[in-house]
Structures are given as C-alpha cells and as structure tokens.
Amino acid sequence: MELDLGVGREVKRLREAKDWSQAKLAVEAGMSVSGVSMIENGHRNLSTATLAKLAQALDVGIGDFFPTGQEPLPVAPPPSGPPRVSKERLEEHFENIRPAEVTYLDLVIADLWRLALPDEKPQAHFVPEDIDTARVWEFLNFVLTTPGMFVPEQVERINRGARKLALAAKG
C-alpha cells in the first residue's frame, strides 16, 4: 500500500545527500532501520513527531520533505493516551522479547502515565507468573533513557508518575 512516496523520496534524497545509510539515519532519528525503509518506500504514514525527528536528524526543515508544489496534508495530533512500546525497537537491544513482556511494560507505562495526573493514586495489579518484573523494569529504564523512543514530553510525564509512585510507596 503506497501512502506518500513523494515524502519518502525526499527523505531518501536528503539522506543520500549526507552520504548516510538507512541505518545511520535510523540511529540519528531514534528510529528503526525498517521504519526508515518503510518511509522511503512510501509504506508508512508519517506523524508530525516522526517528520520532526527526521528533520532534526537531517538538519532540514519539515517543509524540505515536500517536493515543490506539494503541500503537506493536515496531520492529526498525536494520541493523548500513553505511548506504547514497540517490540521491534526493544528487540534491537534485548534478546527474546516475549509479547507478554511488552504487554506488561505497556501496562506499567499506562499506570505511570495516569499517576502523573492530579488526585490519582497507585493501584494494585496482578503480575502474571511468567513475567520477570526486574527485566520489565530494565526495559522501562531503557525506553525512558534512550533518545527517540518517546518524545520528551511523554518521558517527563511518565517520570512524574514514577516519582509519585515512589513517594506513595514511602508513605
């Protein structure tokens, strides 16, 4: 399914002008190589956040991705809910990621996201027996400290929730 090959071509042209591989652009933009490839081949919708990451990595303006005479389509704002973790991104740094671990990590992130709101209190959750919570917390630390995994505002909100949870545990 071709989505927007024009923008993808421009991303590729700008990447090649820097003599960068897709892997180099992926690292600089905090993306996966497959994500860059999908964009360049017109097989991935581009969010404003993704365009901004690519523009910053390539040191260009977002408008530079749109060929002359082509106006960018209005882009829906990013979802207001908690961010979700990509199993593929985790697999770039960890081995044997199980879907249940990703699901549990997303649940932890959603809880911390909610806790950042005023008047929210921690809630107890059932942790499946097959989940190594120390490993999931290692994943959480990774996604919160790796540039490009989440936008800074999302990381800050999750961290606010984590601080609130830590304070509640002490009290």
Side-chain angles (χ1 to χ4, degrees):
M1 171 178 74
E2 186 173 297
L3 298 171
D4 192 344
L5 192 52
V7 172
R9 282 186 187 132
E10 291 302 305
V11 169
K12 182 177 181 178
R13 183 186 65 75
L14 291 164
R15 173 182 61 78
E16 289 177 341
K18 288 183 133 345
D19 199 28
W20 284 3
S21 65
Q22 287 182 340
K24 171 74 172 166
L25 177 55
V27 168
E28 295 296 320
M31 300 176 61
S32 68
V33 176
S34 64
V36 171
S37 175
M38 290 173 66
I39 289 166
E40 289 185 357
N41 291 306
H43 297 292
R44 180 173 169 193
N45 277 322
L46 294 170
S47 67
T48 304
T50 300
L51 283 170
K53 288 194 295 187
L54 289 166
Q56 183 176 10
L58 292 165
D59 196 28
V60 298
I62 290 176
D64 293 326
F65 294 131
F66 298 92
T68 306
Q70 179 185 354
E71 292 296 320
L73 297 172
V75 178
S80 59
R84 298 180 59 89
V85 176
S86 161
K87 180 177 185 274
E88 292 74 25
R89 289 294 309 274
L90 286 175
E91 287 175 333
E92 292 174 6
H93 303 278
F94 297 95
E95 294 182 7
N96 304 318
I97 306 292
R98 294 181 302 113
E101 292 172 317
V102 176
T103 300
Y104 184 70
L105 177 57
D106 283 336
L107 175 66
V108 169
I109 290 169
D111 283 347
L112 296 174
W113 185 264
R114 180 187 52 77
L115 278 173
L117 298 173
D119 302 322
E120 287 289 337
K121 301 209 180 324
Q123 297 176 348
H125 287 284
F126 171 76
V127 180
E129 287 182 19
D130 63 335
I131 296 295
D132 178 352
T133 55
R135 181 170 152 98
V136 172
W137 283 100
E138 184 180 353
F139 297 162
L140 178 63
N141 183 57
F142 172 76
V143 299
L144 293 178
T145 58
T146 301
M149 291 293 285
F150 296 145
V151 296
E153 294 80 14
Q154 292 171 323
V155 172
E156 176 52 35
R157 180 167 172 176
I158 294 166
N159 280 326
R160 278 197 320 269
R163 287 190 296 272
K164 189 174 177 181
L165 180 62
L167 290 173
K170 287 182 181 179

